[in-house]
Structures are given as structure tokens and as C-alpha cells.
Amino acid sequence: MTITHKDQSTAVSLDQLLAEWEELGIRTVLFELPDMHGVARSKLIPLNKVRGYAEKGLNMYGGTVALDSRSFVVPGTRYNEEKNYADQMLLPDLSTAAVVPWLSGTARLICDAYWQDGTPLYAAPRHVLRRVLSELDKLGYEAVIGLEYEFYLLDPMTMTPVFNGLHIFNTSRNLAVPVTERIVELMPQIGIDIITANCEYGPGQFEINYGAHSALRAADLGFTFKNGVKMIARQLGYHATFMTKPFSDQSASGAHTHVSLVSKATGQNAFLDANDPQGLSPTAYYFTQGMLKHANAAMALMAPTPNCYHRFVPHHFAPSNISWGPEDRSAMIRAKNSRDERTHLENRLPTALSNPYLSIAAVIAAGVLGLRDQELPPAAVSGLAEEHSEFPPLPTTLDEALDALERDEEFRQLLGDEFVEVFTRAKRSELARFKAHVTDWEREEYLEIY
């Protein structure tokens, strides 16, 4: 993966932006708020009303950030009854301004959330990521992030894959439906520079990769990509899902997260050491150990639903233990030691369903703690890391991961107690509904015979 160290996007003034959009024939603007799940919550604003809302803020129900996966209001999440169900104010980040190529005459602005008195909603995912990045900045580094999303394309009537069989990289399957070509065509127009697109291991499963960027920009693009893929697919008569494990007998979908650090002092890749046997610097080793040490807590953000935990089984190209290894696709951390500026680490834990802001925040928070502690990871092993019993297992349920998140004081301090409280309460509410649900398996297993 080629890593670029600087983003090309620059914010323009509001006057310039509105004049440009008027000239382009933009009629409406989406004010988008990334929620706890990475889903876009938005209001559609006529162009002639954008200035007022951009300057003073756009009101939206404050509990929107903390809604659970079914958009239920969860008591005790700070932003609901505790605030008398008050509005938050959305203030757009002008650096995220873009024309939406899959909509007619429409642009978008990604927003940050504040209360009426100017206090941030600290559990909002963009604020969480900024908080973590500020700690990395103090250590003298900038993070560069690349995301690899897998997803399934389904027939929306039957919710079955658009083709059967396992034909990874097969050209006819790559182009079996027009969605892939449309994504490749449109995404660059909103700043997502597509690198590769292909069908993956599961039937109807695809992976589309794009370039790496500084961390907040990477999260914004991940948010844009996921929501855009779903919308493009729907327009063409298909359903795209980033659900981690939609079919029990088929591949899960991941979101491998590639990270390198750039030294602010030198502008060089801080993970590279050509004299090291693995081509990795002490900084890379410390960062790796941080990701390993705090993996249990980070997993709650990287695998945030009960369904995600079906993914972490041996011999399925997903991690099953807290491990690392050079070029090892079975390990949780895969060291990509190319011995040049492309050298980086790949955290293979995040699932496709994870929120890009929160999964990136988890990667960097764990790495920051590793940089502070300056501890080395265990020695690399020969063979597949997943087959070595000395590596401890990952949590096997969301309950375990949430418990680990609440116990890991250093990790939760970096993310912020407000976020951890809101996130865990919402997730435990989802888990309670999940555990109360009678499944098809139970009926098939017990209903007739017993």
C-alpha cells in the first residue's frame, strides 16, 4: 500500500464555497453527523439557507449521537432525559465540503456536535478521534491510515448474494453487477482515490481499496465510502451490507486498518529502520506492543456487535489471538516491512461494520499507550501466529470486550470517560435485546421434536 503523508484537501471560506456551489448548480446541502455506528444522520438544507446554519449551527436532537443500532433511545446515555431531550447544534467542518456525485445537485458537509453553550458532545465519534490524535501530536507524530473494506452485494428482495460460488479475483465475478464499476467511477469525484476493486472470497462479496490519508481525513473518507456504497447499490437495484457475518457458512467482512506514523520533526516514516532484521524501528515495535496490550479493550470499538464475533476463528484470514508477525495474515497485527517509506503496520482486528472514527481512534489510542510505555512485543514466531498457544486468545463475545474496555483505565482515559459511558450503555442495551430474542436456530432445533 502506498502511503501519502499529506492530504491535498484544504478548507475554503464559506463565501468561496457557497459561490462555487451556486455556480455548479448545487441546490441542496446535506449537513451530516456520523453517529455511534458510523451511519450518516443528516438534514437536507436548501443552498440559500446554508450560510445561516453554517455560521450559527443547525439544531438536531442531541440524543442522535447515542441512539442504538435500531435507533432506539437508550436511557442513561447522558444525552437524553439527562438533557431534557434537548437539541445539539451541528457546526460543519468546511474542509469536508464536497459535491456528492451519486446525488443530483447536492453537496455535503460533515459536522461536529455541540450543545447550545458550545460544549462538545464528547461521545460524538469525530470528537473522540480528535481527542486521541491530540495525544499523538504531543508525542511528535502524525498518523497515516488506510482502510480496506469488504462488503456483500445482495438481491434486495431475497437478501441472497448476487452470485454463488467462491471465485476470488475472478474477472467475470469482479464485473458481475454494475455496482463495482459505478463505485470506481464515482468515488474519486468525492475525494476517494480508488486503488483496486475485486470480488472477495465469499459469494457476492467485494473489496474496494483506496489511498491512505491523515487519520481524521481517513475516517471522514471511510464514513463517506460506506454510506456512499450503500446508496449507489440501492440506486442500481442492489443491497450492499457491511454486516460482519451475514451468512453463517460464508466469509466474514473485515476492515483491515493500515497505520504508519510520520515524524513531525523530520517528515519521515517513523516505523522504518533498514538496519533492523524486520525493517522496523523501535517506534514501530512500541506501537505494536500497545495494540497487543490493549487489544481486549480496543476490540469493543473494532467489533461492536454480537455478530462480529463470528469472524474471529482460526484459518479464516481473521485473527483469533492477540498476536503479531511479519507478513502474517493470520496474526492480529501484520507487519508490512517493505524496507522503504511504505513500511507500516496492519491491524486486522476491525470488522467492516465498525465505525471508522472509533476503530481508528482505538488503533491510535492503543499505539499511543505503547509509545508511552516503550515496551517491546513478544518475539516473532515462525509459522502462522494463530497456531501458537503462547499468544492469548481474543475476547469471544461483545460482553467480554465491553468489560475489558471498562477495566482498561489507561485506554478509556485516552478515549474519554464520557464516550466510554455513552458507548457501553448503548451497547449493553443492544446486547439485552439480542439475548432476549428467540432465534431461528432455537426454533429449528427444539420446536418440532420437543
Side-chain angles (χ1 to χ4, degrees):
M1 180 186 69
T2 301
I3 294 179
T4 55
H5 294 161
K6 298 294 181 183
D7 287 316
Q8 301 302 312
S9 60
T10 56
V12 298
S13 72
L14 182 59
D15 287 339
Q16 291 173 304
L17 186 62
L18 294 178
E20 185 178 303
W21 281 349
E22 185 173 7
E23 186 175 342
L24 291 172
I26 298 299
R27 301 184 301 276
T28 53
V29 179
L30 286 165
F31 277 49
E32 294 188 322
L33 174 71
D35 74 1
M36 198 66 74
H37 316 282
V39 172
R41 308 280 180 167
S42 65
K43 288 189 176 184
L44 191 63
I45 308 301
L47 185 64
N48 65 353
K49 304 297 182 184
V50 167
R51 179 183 296 279
Y53 289 127
E55 292 175 343
K56 298 179 181 179
L58 173 67
N59 61 302
M60 178 185 278
Y61 167 52
T64 302
V65 167
L67 296 174
D68 77 358
S69 54
R70 289 299 298 271
S71 294
F72 291 166
V73 173
V74 180
T77 48
R78 290 197 180 208
Y79 297 164
N80 294 298
E81 71 277 11
E82 302 91 341
K83 291 286 187 178
N84 296 327
Y85 304 104
D87 278 346
Q88 61 187 318
M89 302 302 291
L90 304 187
L91 290 175
D93 180 344
L94 296 187
S95 71
T96 68
V99 174
V100 183
W102 46 85
L103 296 176
S104 175
T106 302
R108 75 89 192 273
L109 291 163
I110 300 176
C111 300
D112 292 304
Y114 299 86
W115 296 114
Q116 295 277 357
D117 64 359
T119 303
L121 279 73
Y122 288 111
R126 272 185 123 235
H127 286 313
V128 175
L129 180 53
R130 279 206 187 95
R131 177 189 176 101
V132 172
L133 291 175
S134 70
E135 296 302 313
L136 182 65
D137 183 72
K138 293 175 186 176
L139 297 175
Y141 298 106
E142 177 189 4
V144 179
I145 300 290
L147 301 173
E148 291 183 0
Y149 280 112
E150 297 168 331
F151 60 93
Y152 276 86
L153 285 177
L154 310 176
D155 180 314
M157 301 300 293
T158 63
M159 288 298 178
T160 56
V162 292
F163 56 76
N164 296 317
L166 307 179
H167 297 282
I168 185 170
F169 304 133
N170 181 282
T171 300
S172 64
R173 296 299 171 89
N174 289 347
L175 305 173
V177 293
V179 179
T180 310
E181 292 173 276
R182 188 70 170 154
I183 291 169
V184 171
E185 174 192 354
L186 294 181
M187 285 295 174
Q189 297 176 36
I190 202 167
I192 298 175
D193 47 329
I194 300 296
I195 298 172
T196 61
N198 58 269
C199 61
E200 254 295 336
Y201 197 66
Q205 188 184 35
F206 292 83
E207 180 178 301
I208 298 179
N209 296 328
Y210 52 92
H213 296 267
S214 60
L216 183 59
R217 174 70 172 163
D220 284 338
L221 293 181
F223 166 76
T224 301
F225 178 80
K226 291 180 70 177
N227 287 282
V229 165
K230 291 185 71 67
M231 190 165 290
I232 291 168
R234 183 177 303 149
Q235 290 172 345
L236 294 174
Y238 300 92
H239 177 74
T241 181
F242 291 85
M243 180 180 177
T244 303
K245 184 80 170 177
F247 306 105
S248 59
D249 59 346
Q250 301 297 345
S251 297
S253 292
H256 302 152
T257 300
H258 300 254
V259 57
S260 71
L261 297 185
V262 176
S263 168
K264 293 169 62 182
T266 66
Q268 301 300 308
N269 186 337
F271 282 174
L272 173 63
D273 183 351
N275 297 319
D276 178 74
Q278 302 293 349
L280 301 174
S281 69
T283 300
Y285 286 120
Y286 300 152
F287 201 95
T288 297
Q289 174 60 9
M291 290 191 287
L292 298 176
K293 185 175 180 178
H294 299 279
N296 289 338
M299 195 168 185
L301 280 66
M302 298 176 177
T305 72
N307 175 264
C308 294
Y309 292 78
H310 295 297
R311 174 173 174 252
F312 305 108
V313 294
H315 309 299
H316 281 73
F317 297 106
S320 55
N321 56 20
I322 301 173
S323 58
W324 82 282
E327 296 294 346
D328 185 355
R329 279 190 166 90
S330 78
M332 190 189 98
I333 307 300
R334 179 189 183 198
K336 301 280 288 181
N337 48 350
S338 56
R339 300 183 183 276
D340 58 21
E341 284 298 307
R342 296 173 297 167
T343 296
H344 66 281
L345 302 171
E346 177 187 2
N347 191 316
R348 296 176 64 82
L349 191 54
T351 64
L353 190 143
S354 63
N355 181 331
Y357 298 98
L358 299 183
S359 60
I360 292 173
V363 167
I364 295 173
V368 164
L369 294 173
L371 295 175
R372 290 179 181 176
D373 293 341
Q374 295 193 358
E375 297 175 356
L376 295 175
V381 298
S382 60
L384 299 177
E386 67 184 358
E387 296 180 348
H388 285 261
S389 59
E390 62 264 39
F391 290 123
L394 287 162
T396 58
T397 66
L398 180 56
D399 297 84
E400 292 179 36
L402 290 171
D403 289 343
L405 173 60
E406 292 173 322
R407 288 194 306 266
D408 193 330
E409 291 294 336
E410 289 183 307
F411 188 74
R412 68 176 292 160
Q413 183 180 13
L414 276 185
L415 298 171
D417 283 336
E418 182 170 324
F419 162 73
V420 173
E421 180 181 341
V422 172
F423 179 81
T424 54
R425 282 185 179 271
K427 287 297 165 184
R428 292 196 189 283
S429 176
E430 292 172 26
L431 277 172
R433 290 194 290 108
F434 171 72
K435 292 173 182 178
H437 180 68
V438 178
T439 66
D440 291 342
W441 186 93
E442 291 171 283
R443 280 188 289 271
E444 292 173 5
E445 187 78 5
Y446 308 124
L447 187 64
E448 180 184 354
I449 299 299
Y450 300 100

